[in-house]
Amino acid sequence: MDLRLPQYSEVWICEAAGLQQCFSELQLFVQLCSSGKRHSVSQALHKQHIPPSGAELWIMKTVCWTSVLAFTFLQLTAALPCVPADPAHTHNQTELEMATGELVPTHFPARRAAKVAVHYLNTRHGSPFRVFGLQQVHKATAEDVDAGGRKYSLDFSVTEWARSKSVFRCSAVVLFSTAQKTPPDVQLQCEDLQQINTAPQEEAFYHRYSTSDSAVSALNIPDSHGNMSQDMEPFWHLAGVSASFIMLRESSENTEFNMAQVASVTQQETSEKQLMLKYHLLLHDFVSQEILHWQLLSCWSPERGVRVLEMQFLPKCPHASGPPYSTPDQ
């Protein structure tokens, strides 16, 4: 048998093109180690014109048994069943830390509630050239409500980061109900939003893509290096606004969502005066560190704003029926 010992770079950093070959070599290498045939490994070293010294033999033995353990772990991991995270277990500590009265503005409970208010703001005022993000929480209080739940009163600032980069002061009351599994109830007021004028950009964008002969289609926005073309930025903004509809609906006191990536976007045909887009979105829950896949159908026009017509959770596990913190359709 002509056994070739894989180089260390091949064992630990397998390129995609040679992954299967590398894995086969590692498997054979591990089998020899676990069966005690270290002389075969030594012969492989000689065939590569690498005379093993005492130190190299010691390193070889260490690599052998480390590979055995690593290979066994990989085999066991592959056999594990796909089990969704248990929200009650994952967020136990978070629930214990929830407090009433005045909150520390920079801590999770205050920022989480403010993020929900920002999602609400985006569903009401977002567009391809107008997207809001939380800048700072200035003051926050929480109190239990008799009907079951917790009410947050918030004073915070948001940044319109898609176009103007302007900062606006907002106040909100966010109610999380524990009696019923419903989306948070939000009452929001923001100062001077009318100062944002994106009408010329929106009209030009709508005219360009509503009259185009070819439908827009793109993958991975942004790409793995964080880059996106300038033409795709409005579609990324629309995805963020559309994602706010999902993140608002799915939010609870144990979540904090952000949109991580647009996996795909495809423009759909429509007879109505609007742009219709089918998105596959990746949402990140900061609390559980889960990446959640959602598919949605979104439409937009300068007159009617952003609307989400359909939304569907795409489970990683075939037997999962809904997202970990799913609320019923409204």
Side-chain angles (χ1 to χ4, degrees), residues 185-221:
D185 180 72
V186 181
Q187 300 176 34
L188 175 71
Q189 289 185 333
C190 293
E191 301 174 355
D192 302 323
L193 289 182
Q194 66 275 8
Q195 293 180 359
I196 307 174
N197 181 19
T198 56
Q201 294 84 5
E202 291 180 4
E203 289 290 346
F205 175 75
Y206 175 76
H207 179 74
R208 175 182 177 183
Y209 290 101
S210 62
T211 59
S212 175
D213 293 333
S214 58
V216 171
S217 181
L219 300 174
N220 301 326
I221 310 173

Side-chain angles (χ1 to χ4, degrees), residues 45-65:
L45 284 168
H46 282 293
K47 285 185 178 182
Q48 294 188 48
H49 308 291
I50 307 174
S53 64
E56 287 173 332
L57 285 173
W58 180 84
I59 293 173
M60 180 186 67
K61 293 177 183 179
T62 303
V63 171
C64 271
W65 291 112

Side-chain angles (χ1 to χ4, degrees), residues 72-277:
T72 303
F73 174 77
L74 288 172
Q75 288 181 314
L76 291 173
T77 302
L80 290 175
C82 183
V83 180
D86 180 359
H89 176 75
T90 304
H91 306 302
N92 231 12
Q93 187 63 33
T94 304
E95 293 174 356
L96 293 174
E97 293 174 356
M98 290 180 183
T100 56
E102 189 164 348
L103 305 176
V104 180
T106 56
H107 285 189
F108 167 70
R111 290 188 60 83
R112 173 208 54 231
K115 281 281 190 72
V116 171
V118 174
H119 295 323
Y120 179 85
L121 175 62
N122 278 323
T123 63
R124 297 302 187 271
H125 297 281
S127 83
F129 299 91
R130 191 167 56 244
V131 188
F132 299 93
L134 178 64
Q135 187 200 53
Q136 182 182 357
V137 179
H138 303 288
K139 186 177 180 180
T141 60
E143 60 180 294
D144 294 326
V145 295
D146 294 337
R150 197 182 305 269
K151 181 172 73 174
Y152 292 81
S153 300
L154 306 160
D155 176 17
F156 60 99
S157 297
V158 297
T159 302
E160 192 293 294
W161 54 265
R163 193 74 182 177
S164 67
K165 315 302 180 185
S166 302
V167 178
F168 302 92
R169 194 71 172 255
C170 300
S171 61
V173 175
V174 178
L175 175 63
F176 294 98
S177 175
T178 55
Q180 303 178 39
K181 289 188 176 181
T182 57
D185 180 72
V186 181
Q187 300 176 34
L188 175 71
Q189 289 185 333
C190 293
E191 301 174 355
D192 302 323
L193 289 182
Q194 66 275 8
Q195 293 180 359
I196 307 174
N197 181 19
T198 56
Q201 294 84 5
E202 291 180 4
E203 289 290 346
F205 175 75
Y206 175 76
H207 179 74
R208 175 182 177 183
Y209 290 101
S210 62
T211 59
S212 175
D213 293 333
S214 58
V216 171
S217 181
L219 300 174
N220 301 326
I221 310 173
D223 62 20
S224 58
H225 300 287
N227 302 317
M228 74 177 78
S229 67
Q230 189 172 358
D231 286 346
M232 286 296 104
E233 287 183 3
F235 294 98
W236 164 258
H237 299 155
L238 266 177
V241 174
S242 301
S244 284
F245 284 83
I246 300 173
M247 294 186 285
L248 175 62
R249 193 186 78 161
E250 298 298 321
S251 287
S252 71
E253 286 190 283
N254 298 319
T255 62
E256 185 178 344
F257 293 116
N258 292 290
M259 187 180 73
Q261 188 182 42
V262 175
S264 67
V265 56
T266 306
Q267 186 176 357
Q268 308 291 299
E269 291 186 5
T270 176
S271 58
E272 299 184 30
K273 294 182 178 180
Q274 60 186 1
L275 298 182
M276 185 172 293
L277 301 163

